[in-house]
Amino acid sequence: METNLNKTYDPKEFESRLYDEWMEKGYFASKPNKDKKPFTIMMPPPNITGQLHMGHALDHTLQDVLIRWKRMQGCETLWLPGTDHASIATEVKVVERIKKEEGKTKYELGRDEFMKRAWAWKEEFGGKIENQLKKLGDSCDWDRQRFTMDQGCNDAVKEFFIKLYEEGHIYRGHRIINWCPNCKTTLSDAEVEHEDQPGNFYHVKYFLKDSDQFLEVATTRPETMLGDSGIAVNPNDERYADIVGKTAILPLVGRELPIVADEYVDMEFGTGVVKMTPAHDPNDFEVGLRHNLEEINVMNEDGTMNDKCGKYAGMDRYECRKAIIDDLKEEGFLIKIKEHDHAVGTCYRCHTTIEPRLSEQWFVKMDKLAEPAIKILNDKELQFVPDKFDKTYLQWLENIRDWCISRQLWWGHQIPAYYCQECGEVVVAREMPEKCPKCGCTHFKQDEDVLDTWFSSALWPFSTLGWPNNTEELNYYYPTNVLVTGYDIIFFWVVRMAFAAMFCMNEKPFSHVLIHGLVRDSQGRKMSKSLGNGIDPLEIIDQFGADALRFTLITGNSPGNDMRFYMERVEFARNFANKLWNASRFVFMNWDEEMMNGVTRSDVEANLTLADKWIISRANNIVKDVTHNMDKFELGMALQKAYDFTWSEYCDWYIEMVKPRLYGDDVEAKKAALYTLTYVLETILKLLHPFIPFITEEIFDHLPTANGMIIVSEWPEFKEEDNMAKEEAMMDVMMDGIRNVRNVRSEMNVPPSKKAKVIMVPSEDKLEAVEAGKDYFKTLASASEVEVRADEAGIPEDAVSVVIDGVKIFIPLDELVDFEKELERLNKEKAKLEGEIKRVNGKLSNHGFLAKAPQKLVDEEKAKKEKFEEMMKSVEERLASIQAKLS
């Protein structure tokens, strides 16, 4: 085996090459295997609307870590990739491109031509996203890649719709829906984002019929007055008991409005009188149904007023609002305008303010479907990590409204409903009916609307495995193990997958939902185009390598929390990779193939030193800790522990301890050292592989004791026989002593090249540790010799002392300091400080400076003076001590 790594760490040299090799050898591929336990993750399908962003990079890194870890643990891992058609988002992009490149609207092109352009978009961007994910290191089964509009998913969507319809869960009805006037389509409740916006309450007089008495009604949307069909008060409100059943007159319009009593009205809010606009408000709609109020739609699809609005017809809704306010004011109906900030619903795609609108749409009746989805959480069959997100999931399901699933778009799954052109009969079927079951006519037209994107995404955990067919994959891989996703789509997607799975499969879709937060910039702001603070993960990969990006995303992450992205941390990650690379090169450069050929643990057991046993035991316990953290989805904590062990204990301590044996003449000692170095390095590489797969694979390929590729190697396991607590405790004593000696030398400015004798006086229980580890002081604490004594007799009084648990350490001052050189250094330091004190005193006695300088600057100079004088005092004391020593 070629053990020589390149001199410098250059991820560009091997990352693409290794990914191609993994692919060629089929290591990402999966097939049902009854001899192995399955572990399945369905990739949340990225939209085909654009580029990979940092949120994708985090999401995919977390999934890849889990898959690589479980693959090494011997599971039959399936990470199934795919992309989502993203109905609204994609249609908007395609429409924009058609307008820009062809100067046409989608209607001018026609549905068939538009769909050709949309599929072309999918081919272009779906391929781009795949290549970007490969750069990141995604080890998913690309041969199983799915698209939410491929034939299999399309069949599943039809089956789901028909099954829901046949069991009475889908209906077509006239109801209030959320309407985006810009996208010109309905939106589900989950697709509406609420923003706090400044607005007003407009207080308006509604006179009672044939009376001078009026009711004071407040509204935030005066333009909807044109659709008013009633007035409501609370039946328990004594103020209005005498007017229930009477009639009010709609200002400006003159329409008669019945006054009804309904518990919906809050007596404590405002005046306790509410205008009812059933066609433009969901609550008013429900009240209207109870009291048989007329539903008057006054708005067009584009947000302009329709022909029912008289002189306001054709106006934009906000233009109409202004005109109505002016007219109310002029005719004496406006009482006052009061500023009022309120939450406004906006489209999650284009951020246009949505309009509640009465429309005939397709709905899923959610009350019964929600119950099994609630039960699997309460029964702990489905668990959120962290569990604080149980609340989000339950709040949504327990308060769920019927789901509007029809969208006035062309790109998406067309609704499998067909309308008889003779009698209007609606037939829900897998294919267009040949004959109307009601009138026998053969002329049918399919519903032109498409289904909500989330309708197909809800089926993702099982439609991708062949449902509605009873496939081998479905039986083996389902239910899946983990869903990794952001907290922002729990109600969009997680909830829907849960109820769809319980309805179609009668089984949970996954066991755990690992929730991550957003990746924010270094100032904590959300990354966005408008702020220009987005960071392209592909640029980071190009500059620092995929491993550095992955390391940064994992170490900065804890389940459910947002993280801040700092470039300094990417550089830090790159430095760690460099440290691992150089440590591995050191091991390989000292490898002796002839001497080490066939050497096993039993061959070196008798020659293992305290340091060897300590590092083997520490590696063993780190395996236990990291595995425990991984089991709990604490991936950031797991990586931190593996990193700390690698950098500090292996590189900074063990490699330094082992050098004298590598360079010495004792063959058996060298064998034990090389065995331990490579054994622990192999453990380190395996623990780090799920997180930083490329560098670990490249080093593993050069590791003389390794076989095959690390991606399919066995995950290390804790071994009780390697749990050497005694040796760890002994080594802790020695390391503590070395640290303290180093600190003393540093405080006294003793250069590492200056060797000094170390005398150690241990308590009886620490004697074994001191005897076993004393030689490490020569390597790591610049000791010229190490002497172990039973007591302090004969130790010079002026020896520098360090006390640790059970051990006193002394360094004779004569050994530590060259007094002539130290005297020279201190006199130079004194002269320098005298100059600084003179300068600062000059400033502080300058009246001009004191008069003109800001107080902050004056205070800084005073602080400097205090610091310099303290330093001078210390230098003078040290000088006096040395001069006394020399006299």
Side-chain angles (χ1 to χ4, degrees):
M1 176 182 279
E2 175 58 53
T3 58
N4 290 327
L5 280 173
N6 285 346
K7 189 173 181 182
T8 55
Y9 165 60
D10 179 11
K12 286 183 180 175
E13 194 276 323
F14 56 81
E15 286 192 349
S16 294
R17 167 173 54 80
L18 287 175
Y19 195 89
D20 290 344
E21 190 174 350
W22 290 329
M23 288 278 287
E24 285 163 17
K25 290 184 175 176
Y27 290 147
F28 304 164
S30 182
K31 60 182 179 181
N33 182 345
K34 62 179 173 57
D35 297 325
K36 281 187 174 186
K37 185 180 177 182
F39 183 86
T40 314
I41 296 179
M42 294 301 173
M43 179 188 291
N47 294 350
I48 55 163
T49 52
Q51 292 280 103
L52 185 75
H53 58 66
M54 203 56 82
H56 288 131
L58 169 62
D59 197 75
H60 285 248
T61 299
L62 291 168
Q63 291 172 81
D64 195 47
V65 168
L66 292 171
I67 281 291
R68 287 178 182 272
W69 169 52
K70 285 296 181 180
R71 185 183 290 124
M72 292 174 75
Q73 282 197 321
C75 293
E76 184 59 46
T77 55
L78 171 62
W79 184 16
L80 194 146
T83 47
D84 186 30
H85 66 282
S87 192
I88 295 177
T90 304
E91 182 147 326
V92 167
K93 294 279 188 184
V94 176
V95 165
E96 285 173 357
R97 175 183 274 191
I98 291 167
K99 187 176 181 181
K100 184 179 178 183
E101 294 180 1
E102 303 180 52
K104 292 182 178 179
T105 66
K106 71 174 190 177
Y107 302 104
E108 287 171 326
L109 266 187
R111 190 169 194 141
D112 290 345
E113 286 300 313
F114 173 82
M115 291 298 285
K116 287 179 186 175
R117 309 295 194 279
W119 279 105
W121 176 281
K122 183 265 172 186
E123 292 306 314
E124 180 183 342
F125 284 96
K128 275 187 182 178
I129 289 166
E130 178 183 331
N131 290 330
Q132 291 165 355
L133 296 175
K134 287 177 177 176
K135 288 272 186 193
L136 188 63
D138 278 17
S139 63
C140 44
D141 189 345
W142 292 108
D143 291 339
R144 291 182 179 272
Q145 186 169 193
R146 301 297 300 270
F147 176 55
T148 50
M149 275 175 61
D150 65 26
Q151 188 57 53
C153 288
N154 195 43
D155 290 345
V157 165
K158 281 184 185 177
E159 195 66 31
F160 184 40
F161 187 98
I162 291 164
K163 186 173 164 66
L164 285 168
Y165 183 79
E166 288 176 348
E167 295 189 24
H169 297 293
I170 282 185
Y171 65 93
R172 192 162 179 254
H174 231 59
R175 295 186 68 84
I176 288 283
I177 48 88
N178 304 302
W179 182 265
C180 175
N182 182 50
C183 297
K184 295 186 182 62
T185 184
T186 56
L187 300 172
S188 69
D189 290 343
E191 292 167 318
V192 177
E193 293 181 348
H194 290 89
E195 300 173 1
D196 283 333
Q197 294 181 6
N200 296 301
F201 261 133
Y202 301 92
H203 290 251
V204 181
K205 296 177 182 176
Y206 280 60
F207 282 90
L208 297 181
K209 184 180 178 183
D210 301 326
S211 171
D212 292 334
Q213 185 184 352
F214 64 84
L215 299 171
E216 185 176 337
V217 176
T219 179
T220 57
R221 299 160 66 216
E223 66 278 11
T224 63
M225 286 175 58
L226 304 173
D228 287 359
S229 61
I231 296 284
V233 296
N234 192 292
N236 301 311
D237 196 333
E238 293 178 2
R239 293 172 294 176
Y240 305 114
D242 61 329
I243 65 165
V244 174
K246 292 185 178 180
T247 303
I249 303 298
L250 179 59
L252 305 181
V253 177
R255 184 161 57 245
E256 293 189 1
L257 308 176
I259 300 171
V260 300
D262 197 280
E263 294 279 357
Y264 159 70
V265 180
D266 182 354
M267 291 189 292
E268 306 301 320
F269 186 75
T271 62
V273 180
V274 181
K275 73 185 194 69
M276 291 289 110
T277 320
H280 292 278
D281 182 279
N283 295 312
D284 294 4
F285 175 76
E286 297 297 335
V287 174
L289 289 178
R290 288 195 288 273
H291 298 279
N292 202 27
L293 299 179
E294 189 180 357
E295 296 160 354
I296 306 168
N297 187 352
V298 295
M299 220 173 277
N300 295 314
E301 290 183 356
D302 61 358
T304 59
M305 309 311 289
N306 65 21
D307 56 11
K308 293 179 184 174
C309 299
K311 72 175 197 176
Y312 307 108
M315 289 184 181
D316 172 77
R317 53 184 166 161
Y318 298 117
E319 181 189 358
C320 176
R321 179 180 299 179
K322 187 176 181 303
I324 284 178
I325 293 302
D326 289 344
D327 289 348
L328 287 170
K329 196 180 294 181
E330 187 177 328
E331 298 193 25
F333 290 113
L334 189 65
I335 299 170
K336 62 183 176 182
I337 300 174
K338 190 177 179 183
E339 288 186 359
H340 172 70
D341 290 351
H342 56 142
V344 174
T346 61
C347 173
Y348 80 117
R349 282 295 169 196
C350 69
H351 303 292
T352 300
T353 299
I354 61 106
E355 280 293 337
R357 188 167 185 268
L358 191 64
S359 179
E360 188 163 54
Q361 303 287 344
W362 289 92
F363 294 86
V364 177
K365 227 173 140 49
M366 289 303 306
D367 50 357
K368 296 297 181 193
L369 293 170
E371 289 171 6
I374 293 169
K375 188 175 187 298
I376 56 171
L377 187 84
N378 290 336
D379 292 349
K380 301 294 183 187
E381 288 182 48
L382 184 151
Q383 296 179 44
F384 279 87
V385 182
D387 61 10
K388 67 179 181 181
F389 290 101
D390 288 9
K391 192 176 175 184
T392 307
Y393 175 90
L394 288 174
Q395 271 181 342
W396 188 260
L397 278 170
E398 288 171 351
N399 299 288
I400 202 159
R401 298 200 316 187
D402 288 358
W403 174 19
C404 178
I405 55 171
S406 44
R407 297 290 179 270
Q408 289 64 53
L409 302 166
W410 288 351
W411 177 244
H413 293 277
Q414 202 167 343
I415 291 173
Y418 303 87
Y419 302 101
C420 174
Q421 297 301 286
E422 291 294 326
C423 70
E425 178 71 1
V426 181
V427 179
V428 169
R430 291 166 185 80
E431 305 295 338
M432 187 174 290
E434 292 182 7
K435 191 168 74 169
C436 177
K438 189 174 181 181
C439 71
C441 176
T442 57
H443 299 297
F444 275 89
K445 185 178 181 183
Q446 186 171 0
D447 194 308
E448 292 193 350
D449 288 352
V450 299
L451 289 159
D452 178 10
T453 298
W454 303 101
F455 193 89
S456 51
S457 301
L459 312 179
W460 191 246
F462 48 91
S463 65
T464 46
L465 295 171
W467 187 88
N469 298 316
N470 187 25
T471 64
E472 184 185 8
E473 283 80 4
L474 193 61
N475 288 320
Y476 181 72
Y477 293 113
Y478 190 87
T480 68
N481 295 81
V482 186
L483 173 74
V484 179
T485 190
Y487 58 67
D488 52 336
I489 59 169
I490 291 173
F491 43 80
F492 272 121
W493 192 35
V494 181
V495 161
R496 286 172 179 153
M497 282 191 284
F499 83 71
M502 295 308 293
F503 179 71
C504 296
M505 301 293 297
N506 200 29
E507 200 169 4
K508 64 189 176 186
F510 23 73
S511 302
H512 291 92
V513 183
L514 175 57
I515 297 289
H516 61 76
L518 302 175
V519 183
R520 298 183 178 274
D521 71 7
S522 58
Q523 296 176 47
R525 300 174 302 176
K526 190 173 179 178
M527 292 186 182
S528 68
K529 287 180 182 175
S530 58
L531 287 174
N533 63 341
I535 299 170
D536 184 351
L538 296 173
E539 288 181 11
I540 300 290
I541 290 170
D542 186 59
Q543 187 177 354
F544 296 97
D547 287 330
L549 175 60
R550 291 168 65 112
F551 186 98
T552 304
L553 291 169
I554 295 291
T555 50
N557 187 267
S558 61
N561 294 317
D562 291 351
M563 63 170 288
R564 295 191 182 192
F565 191 90
Y566 298 91
M567 286 306 299
E568 296 85 350
R569 286 179 50 189
V570 184
E571 291 168 11
F572 174 84
R574 167 68 187 257
N575 292 343
F576 172 64
N578 211 47
K579 179 102 170 175
L580 179 63
W581 187 268
N582 289 333
S584 303
R585 281 191 75 242
F586 170 79
V587 174
F588 300 161
M589 285 164 62
N590 284 283
W591 184 257
D592 186 324
E593 181 63 41
E594 188 177 343
M595 181 178 74
M596 295 302 293
N597 187 29
V599 170
T600 64
R601 174 74 169 267
S602 59
D603 297 323
V604 300
E605 194 74 54
N607 295 299
L608 293 177
T609 64
L610 172 62
D612 297 335
K613 291 176 180 178
W614 164 73
I615 199 70
I616 288 170
S617 184
R618 288 296 302 129
N620 189 44
N621 280 299
I622 290 298
V623 165
K624 184 180 183 179
D625 290 349
V626 168
T627 305
H628 175 71
N629 289 136
M630 297 284 272
D631 279 330
K632 293 173 69 180
F633 300 100
E634 296 165 345
L635 308 188
M637 203 177 290
L639 177 53
Q640 188 67 46
K641 287 177 181 173
Y643 155 80
D644 287 340
F645 173 74
T646 304
W647 187 296
S648 177
E649 295 175 79
Y650 184 73
C651 295
D652 288 352
W653 284 97
Y654 182 70
I655 284 179
E656 294 306 313
M657 288 176 184
V658 90
K659 282 177 179 178
R661 284 191 286 156
L662 293 179
Y663 304 149
D665 298 324
D666 188 333
V667 173
E668 295 307 314
K670 188 174 182 179
K671 276 185 186 179
L674 282 172
Y675 170 85
T676 307
L677 277 168
T678 50
Y679 173 80
V680 176
L681 178 58
E682 183 169 339
T683 301
I684 285 170
L685 293 174
K686 288 180 177 182
L687 291 178
L688 290 172
H689 176 72
F691 306 99
I692 46 175
F694 293 105
I695 186 174
T696 49
E697 187 71 88
E698 181 67 4
I699 294 171
F700 194 81
D701 186 48
H702 292 76
L703 187 68
T705 55
N707 293 307
M709 297 190 84
I710 197 170
I711 188 174
V712 286
S713 66
E714 285 186 14
W715 181 257
E717 291 186 358
F718 176 81
K719 301 171 186 169
E720 194 53 56
E721 63 269 25
D722 282 348
N723 184 24
M724 296 176 270
K726 178 186 172 184
E727 283 77 4
E728 285 195 43
M730 289 168 67
M731 198 67 218
D732 283 344
V733 173
M734 291 296 92
M735 289 164 69
D736 193 19
I738 290 165
R739 271 191 290 264
N740 276 276
V741 170
R742 283 174 171 175
N743 289 341
V744 166
R745 290 174 61 96
S746 175
E747 287 165 9
M748 298 180 71
N749 296 310
V750 181
S753 57
K754 173 74 175 173
K755 306 290 183 185
K757 182 178 180 179
V758 171
I759 302 167
M760 305 180 79
V761 182
S763 58
E764 192 175 335
D765 62 319
K766 295 293 189 291
L767 179 60
E768 184 182 0
V770 168
E771 288 291 356
K774 64 183 182 180
D775 286 348
Y776 303 135
F777 277 77
K778 293 180 182 178
T779 310
L780 297 168
S782 299
S784 54
E785 64 173 304
V786 180
E787 185 182 335
V788 180
R789 294 190 184 182
D791 54 43
E792 298 174 37
I795 297 173
E797 283 186 15
D798 64 352
V800 176
S801 66
V802 168
V803 180
I804 61 171
D805 182 24
V807 185
K808 290 181 180 178
I809 303 170
F810 300 91
I811 310 169
L813 198 60
D814 292 354
E815 293 274 338
L816 204 56
V817 179
D818 182 329
F819 290 112
E820 294 291 348
K821 279 190 177 179
E822 182 66 359
L823 200 61
E824 184 184 337
R825 186 190 70 78
L826 286 168
N827 277 319
K828 283 181 182 176
E829 183 67 17
K830 182 182 177 184
K832 182 181 173 185
L833 285 167
E834 284 170 344
E836 290 292 347
I837 291 168
K838 184 179 179 183
R839 182 195 62 76
V840 78
N841 279 335
K843 262 194 173 184
L844 291 173
S845 60
N846 183 329
H847 295 298
F849 170 75
L850 293 173
K852 293 178 183 177
Q855 188 58 43
K856 185 182 175 186
L857 198 57
V858 174
D859 291 343
E860 283 175 1
E861 291 300 320
K862 285 179 179 176
K864 284 179 188 175
K865 179 184 177 182
E866 196 176 311
K867 181 182 77 173
F868 293 143
E869 286 175 344
E870 188 67 32
M871 290 169 70
M872 177 64 88
K873 183 182 175 185
S874 176
V875 167
E876 286 175 339
E877 286 174 356
R878 187 88 179 110
L879 273 168
S881 171
I882 292 174
Q883 283 163 347
K885 186 87 177 169
L886 292 173
S887 61

